[in-house]
Amino acid sequence: MKDLLGLGDLELIELSRKGDDQAFGVIISRYEHQIARTVIGMLGDTEEAEDVGQETFIRFFRSLDKFRGDSALGTYLTRIAINLSLNELNKKKKTLSLFYKRGEDKLTMFDVPEPGDEFDRSDKKEIVDKALQQLDHGFRSVIVLRLLEGYSTKDTADILNLPLGTVLSRLSRAQEKLKEILIPLMQ
Amino acid sequence: MVEKENYYLLLRSFDEDLDADNAEKLRDALNSSEELRAEQERILAIRNMISSRKVSFKPGFRDRVLNRISEEHHPQFIKPDFNQTFVNVFKKVALTGVAAIVILLLSIYYSSSRLGVDTIVGDPYSDESLVSYLLYENIDE
């Protein structure tokens, strides 16, 4: 195990392909925090986030043979994680739309919390978490990749398969929304 | 009041390289507007607040993933899914039922040399039925 820790991603992948579970375990340990930032940023600290996190690595395991190393492993896994998170959010949205009247759910998207409500009791992590959850999925994904993961705007565009201009405009608008939500709570 | 154009330049400046003209414009605006500088600090504070957020899965995440992978590779260790078991059992029962019906129809066909409603459900006016009918009618009286 100790020897495995010193190996590079491609070597670990090669060993995993040959059936070395410990090598795959090292890959999980190496990237679980990165994937946690992505899926918890997208879905909140929930059971779904854990499931999507697990599913990310399982999907990667199933497609080990397809990984050619064109992009860094972290980016490859992040792409899987963000797509699974967006699928999960869409599923949730469809379920919610069965219970809410048309348009009603949109009201909560950018609902700015009043100072004095439960936000006051939350710590910083929870405040940021709740603020992120109030962003529309498209805005949330660019914020998660750019600010939480620290990807460049170009990499963010590549991962989300969006034009760079769209990512830049979403970042500007998302920042504005986050400012609306967070500034009253920071004062 | 912060000028809208300068404000959007400020927002863009965090994520993209502004061209020389816009960069100079923003620099001048920041030098002359205290409000815009305050806005810059607020946005920076928010970005720092988000990027410094520490999150992780519950302890044992790696083992949970490896267990799921191992279950996929060794399906005999997977607990049977009730719905799937029910569907499988139902299929077997249904197939056996269909086979029994086919055998029954074939045997009727071979014994009576024809296959009609009467031969399958029985002739309501056969002698036996008639005798029973008459007998019961007598008892009622």
Side-chain angles (χ1 to χ4, degrees):
Chain A
M1 184 74 172
K2 211 173 182 183
D3 294 339
L4 289 173
L5 292 173
L7 295 180
D9 290 345
L10 291 176
E11 290 162 302
L12 289 169
I13 289 169
E14 199 47 49
L15 287 172
S16 304
R17 279 181 186 141
K18 289 174 185 160
D20 188 334
D21 285 350
Q22 283 201 328
F24 196 73
V26 175
I27 293 176
I28 299 171
S29 303
R30 200 171 278 177
Y31 290 101
E32 73 164 275
H33 292 291
Q34 182 175 336
I35 298 307
R37 277 198 302 273
T38 302
V39 297
I40 294 175
M42 290 299 290
L43 302 166
D45 203 349
T46 57
E47 288 289 321
E48 288 92 18
E50 160 89 18
D51 286 345
V52 169
Q54 287 186 21
E55 192 60 29
T56 299
F57 287 101
I58 289 167
R59 294 268 176 117
F60 174 59
F61 184 82
R62 285 186 201 140
S63 60
L64 272 173
D65 291 330
K66 289 180 197 155
F67 183 77
R68 294 194 307 270
D70 295 340
S71 58
L73 179 55
T75 308
Y76 189 82
L77 288 169
T78 302
R79 191 174 288 132
I80 300 176
I82 207 96
N83 285 332
L84 289 175
S85 302
L86 287 168
N87 288 349
E88 186 66 30
L89 287 168
N90 287 337
K91 239 194 288 174
K92 233 185 213 177
K93 201 175 173 184
K94 272 183 195 161
T95 313
L96 278 176
S97 66
L98 292 175
F99 297 101
Y100 291 93
K101 282 179 198 158
R102 209 173 170 178
E104 206 173 332
D105 55 338
K106 284 189 176 171
L107 287 175
T108 59
M109 286 298 179
F110 294 122
D111 235 3
V112 180
E114 296 294 326
D117 67 7
E118 63 175 305
F119 264 65
D120 278 352
R121 294 191 297 275
S122 307
D123 62 14
K124 190 174 119 185
K125 180 176 163 279
E126 275 176 298
I127 289 172
V128 174
D129 209 30
K130 287 188 180 179
L132 283 173
Q133 299 315 306
Q134 290 189 55
L135 290 180
D136 190 19
H137 308 167
F139 294 125
R140 200 184 307 167
S141 53
V142 291
I143 288 289
V144 165
L145 293 177
R146 175 78 178 122
L147 298 188
L148 263 77
E149 294 291 358
Y151 281 109
S152 69
T153 47
K154 190 188 168 301
D155 286 344
T156 302
D158 283 347
I159 290 171
L160 292 171
N161 207 15
L162 289 171
L164 182 61
T166 307
V167 167
L168 292 173
S169 80
R170 282 189 187 179
L171 270 171
S172 287
R173 289 165 68 191
Q175 278 183 122
E176 266 189 280
K177 295 293 172 193
L178 282 172
K179 203 182 74 179
E180 277 177 35
I181 298 164
L182 289 172
I183 290 294
L185 306 165
M186 289 163 73
Q187 285 164 348
Chain B
M1 179 77 181
V2 176
E3 201 185 312
K4 227 172 187 179
E5 199 188 339
N6 291 334
Y7 174 67
Y8 286 117
L9 276 181
L10 176 69
L11 280 179
R12 283 174 52 198
S13 70
F14 290 103
D15 296 297
E16 58 183 304
D17 294 325
L18 300 177
D19 59 43
D21 283 351
N22 282 329
E24 198 183 333
K25 198 173 179 188
L26 178 63
R27 213 169 22 247
D28 291 345
L30 282 169
N31 284 335
S32 60
S33 167
E34 196 178 323
E35 217 175 330
L36 191 64
R37 284 198 298 275
E39 197 66 42
Q40 186 183 32
E41 283 192 12
R42 273 197 287 269
I43 295 169
L44 266 175
I46 287 170
R47 290 175 73 101
N48 287 337
M49 197 174 176
I50 292 170
S51 59
S52 64
R53 179 172 167 268
K54 299 254 184 296
V55 291
S56 57
F57 294 121
K58 291 187 187 83
F61 177 80
R62 188 189 73 127
D63 293 337
R64 289 194 294 279
V65 176
L66 287 176
N67 281 343
R68 277 187 62 185
I69 288 171
S70 154
E71 280 177 0
E72 266 191 24
H73 280 243
H74 308 287
Q76 67 268 31
F77 296 125
I78 302 174
K79 284 183 192 167
D81 174 20
F82 175 75
N83 287 339
Q84 195 53 46
T85 311
F86 184 78
V87 169
N88 289 343
V89 169
F90 183 79
K91 271 183 197 164
K92 282 178 190 165
V93 171
L95 280 174
T96 314
V98 168
I101 291 167
V102 169
I103 291 167
L104 188 69
L105 291 175
L106 284 173
S107 69
I108 290 170
Y109 178 75
Y110 283 117
S111 62
S112 57
S113 304
R114 67 190 185 97
L115 204 56
V117 178
D118 291 351
T119 51
I120 294 169
V121 297
D123 183 359
Y125 300 110
S126 69
D127 293 345
E128 223 173 47
S129 308
L130 199 60
V131 170
S132 312
Y133 174 72
L134 291 170
L135 268 174
Y136 283 118
E137 202 168 66
N138 287 336
I139 288 167
D140 284 344
E141 281 171 4

